[in-house]
Amino acid sequence: MKVLFLAAEAAPFVKVGGLGDVAGSLPRALAALGHDVRLMIPGYGAIDWARFRPRPAGAFEVPHASGAQAGRIWETESDVPVWLLTGPPIPTDGGVYSASIAEDARKFLFFSLGALAASRALGFRPDVVHANDWHTGPAVYRLATARGSDPFFRDTASLYTIHNLPYTGRGAGAYLAEYALATMPALALLPEWARDSMLGLGLVTADVITTVSPTYAREIQTPQGGHGLDAMLRLRGDRLHGVLNGIDVGSWDPATDPALAERFDSTTLERRAENRTALTDEAGLDADPNAFLLGMVSRLDSQKGFDVALPALSRWLESGGQLVVLGSGDPTIERGLADLELRFPGRASVRLRFDPQYSRRIYGGADGILIPSRYEPCGLTQMLAMRYGAVPIARRTGGLADTIVDVGDPGGTGVLFDGYDPVSLAHALERALRVYAHRQSWIELQRRGMETDFSWNRSAAEYQALFREALKYRGGAAGGSSESGEDAGGHPRGR
Ligand code: ADP
């Protein structure tokens, strides 16, 4: 199949968060299955153009109320051919995302519509457009509304992946009009507040919708997890699937990772102690081989559970545990963590920065990694931790529930807890300590985590099956409605 993969960011070109990891590694896994996959991202100035040396590959135009906007296509490659799109709304300075919906809506409308125009200009007729998150919703929408009368895209299906539901690109209405995107009656399925969201455009019109874990796929169809979109997602429930993200097991391998003081695998776990010592040194913690060294590597965001973690961590440190934190983000959370470090010198170490190399040393040296997320679409941290022999202690939500087996169950790989409160978290830490006291059980827990297959292989095969399903819907129930508003196919099928 010919697949056009659209994302706002992709490693190694530009990475802000987990989306960049996925867009950097899933296209390669799909190509390994024999598909012709092309990755398209905005050609930001933030990309290192001198390093990747993109070559001019063509031009396209995006209609706009003030006159057509001219775009250019640049070609480079990582594991698959990569196209970068430039044009007036794409920033040439260091920026990727901005705080302004006006700026981001125009940027990603231009990119979404430009992606289809560029694909046509290049003569690349995709079987499937795989679009990701709110930034590319308009591409899905445009495809669904135009393909009935557009021979080039007549046979193209769409698969739309939600990486984090609350990010909707809301408030884009005025800019949709600038880009001549008429709204279709099916948008009435969305709550009123979401009708001008770029995510909404994609959710209503995608042939197949996926999100990044089976549990999150269920959670977003409930009022608790649906962020106001659950009723609409239930209506599209027969098109909605959960496919777990993988990790790049080549780059994340404790047997070869140059960032570690000592390399090891599941058969040489005893060598890992060296990394633990190096980590406590680097973090400025007391050498205390008997203490449990708990790590956290996280964006500091309300999603990640620091409001319940901070009180529990205070008690953890009072009772002799140690803590090493790497994260950046919300200044209030940063202050709370800095305060812990001040109160517990030698026991708590907090580094408020983004530092991929240090994160590897935390995964490779800490005893456990705490992930108390309020919600977690998939989560990569727990998989990286397990691969590096750090036992995850995590809330049973979203992808955490799908990738960690609780120590109380056969084949346990971590410690899970349910309640979103400091007491439930503290109980989970106590359970971890009890297992930790039985060295052999702990080592088995570490080994099983290390030996779990978190590669992309299985997920890529699942996407392949869903591409085939999406192809069945072309011109069918989800798409095919005309821009004039006839709702022939624009209506998602109910259950
Ligand atoms: P999210 O995408 O919601 O931030 P994920 O668990 O899916 O959460 O992905 C987080 C990724 O970012 C992981 O690879 C994690 O190691 C990395 N990460 C988070 N914070 C930092 C940091 N301060 N420094 C380095 N890497 C970080």
Side-chain angles (χ1 to χ4, degrees):
M1 278 180 268
K2 285 186 180 162
V3 180
L4 181 64
F5 194 97
L6 306 181
E9 52 177 289
F13 303 100
V14 53
K15 176 185 153 174
V16 178
L19 173 62
D21 285 320
V22 174
S25 46
L26 174 56
R28 173 183 46 196
L30 291 167
L33 293 176
H35 302 296
D36 181 3
V37 186
R38 313 295 174 101
L39 170 64
M40 209 177 254
I41 59 173
Y44 308 103
I47 292 169
D48 186 345
W49 285 70
R51 174 178 162 206
F52 296 108
R53 298 172 172 273
R55 303 169 297 277
F60 62 93
E61 279 191 349
V62 175
H64 185 266
S66 65
Q69 292 181 323
R72 297 186 67 184
I73 310 164
W74 303 82
E75 192 170 61
T76 179
E77 55 278 312
S78 54
D79 303 304
V80 299
V82 179
W83 287 315
L84 309 176
L85 303 191
T86 58
I90 307 294
T92 51
D93 59 11
V96 176
Y97 303 113
S98 88
S100 145
I101 184 65
E103 192 180 320
D104 275 2
R106 290 190 176 116
K107 184 190 305 175
F108 294 119
L109 274 158
F110 174 82
F111 173 66
S112 289
L113 301 180
L116 299 182
S119 188
R120 186 196 305 271
L122 292 161
F124 184 77
R125 188 197 305 262
D127 295 300
V128 179
V129 170
H130 184 166
N132 293 276
D133 270 355
W134 70 266
H135 325 97
T136 56
V140 173
Y141 176 82
R142 167 63 92 193
L143 186 66
T145 52
R147 67 186 167 186
S149 56
D150 181 342
F152 190 82
F153 286 112
R154 190 185 55 218
D155 295 325
T156 300
S158 63
L159 183 145
Y160 190 39
T161 300
I162 308 166
H163 295 262
N164 199 333
L165 185 68
Y167 296 87
T168 58
R170 185 176 167 187
Y175 316 106
L176 298 180
E178 278 180 22
Y179 282 93
L181 283 181
T183 51
M184 62 201 290
L187 289 179
L189 290 174
L190 291 164
E192 203 169 332
W193 65 262
R195 284 179 205 160
D196 67 350
S197 72
M198 305 227 315
L199 184 80
L201 295 182
L203 291 182
V204 168
T205 51
D207 293 316
V208 166
I209 304 168
T210 66
T211 188
V212 289
S213 70
T215 297
Y216 194 59
R218 285 193 296 278
E219 288 170 348
I220 60 177
Q221 296 182 66
T222 66
Q224 297 75 29
H227 299 276
L229 292 167
D230 49 293
M232 184 267 159
L233 289 168
R234 283 195 299 279
L235 278 172
R236 301 225 63 200
D238 61 338
R239 302 290 185 94
L240 172 58
H241 304 267
V243 182
L244 274 174
N245 286 334
I247 56 171
D248 182 343
V249 291
S251 142
W252 291 93
D253 183 354
T256 57
D257 192 335
L260 299 179
E262 179 71 45
R263 286 167 270 287
F264 62 98
D265 61 27
S266 65
T267 63
T268 53
L269 253 180
E270 65 286 352
R271 291 194 195 153
R272 195 174 181 277
E274 190 80 17
N275 292 316
R276 191 183 183 286
T277 308
L279 175 61
T280 46
D281 279 355
E282 182 175 5
L285 294 174
D286 299 339
D288 184 353
N290 294 319
F292 187 114
L293 178 58
L294 185 64
M296 292 184 85
V297 178
S298 180
R299 280 188 298 123
L300 305 184
D301 181 277
S302 62
Q303 176 195 336
K304 299 295 182 179
F306 286 92
D307 49 343
V308 298
L310 283 169
L313 287 173
S314 237
R315 286 203 290 279
W316 166 260
L317 292 162
E318 276 158 14
S319 58
Q322 287 188 311
L323 176 69
V324 54
V325 181
L326 171 65
S328 62
D330 184 335
T332 312
I333 303 173
E334 290 195 349
R335 276 197 296 278
L337 288 167
D339 179 55
L340 271 189
E341 187 181 48
L342 275 178
R343 283 169 49 216
F344 297 96
R347 313 301 301 172
S349 163
V350 175
R351 299 283 183 267
L352 301 174
R353 58 174 194 249
F354 191 85
D355 186 341
Q357 297 303 309
Y358 188 43
S359 78
R360 290 168 178 269
R361 291 192 284 276
I362 295 181
Y363 295 133
D367 295 310
I369 295 286
L370 180 63
I371 314 164
S373 305
R374 186 186 295 273
Y375 73 94
E376 195 59 74
C378 177
L380 301 174
T381 314
Q382 78 281 13
M383 296 191 252
L384 301 174
M386 285 186 266
R387 179 131 174 95
Y388 279 60
V391 173
I393 299 157
R395 189 149 173 271
R396 196 193 309 268
T397 182
L400 297 170
D402 293 332
T403 51
I404 301 168
V405 180
D406 184 71
V407 62
D409 296 329
T413 54
V415 178
L416 290 169
F417 63 98
D418 291 288
Y420 188 73
D421 57 81
V423 175
S424 303
L425 197 164
H427 281 153
L429 290 173
E430 282 161 24
R431 285 180 72 212
L433 276 180
R434 280 201 292 278
V435 186
Y436 189 63
H438 294 103
R439 278 299 142 127
Q440 199 47 42
S441 311
W442 189 259
I443 289 168
E444 282 161 21
L445 202 58
Q446 288 177 295
R447 261 202 198 118
R448 283 193 296 266
M450 291 187 75
E451 287 167 359
T452 306
D453 179 7
F454 292 120
S455 72
W456 274 103
N457 298 344
R458 209 179 100 186
S459 303
E462 286 179 44
Y463 277 113
Q464 172 179 268
L466 290 172
F467 289 161
R468 298 215 166 97
E469 183 181 325
L471 287 169
K472 288 196 296 202
Y473 295 127
R474 276 172 306 186
S481 134
S482 74
E483 200 89 298
S484 67
E486 285 159 36
D487 198 17
H491 244 303
R493 294 192 317 188
R495 288 195 122 169

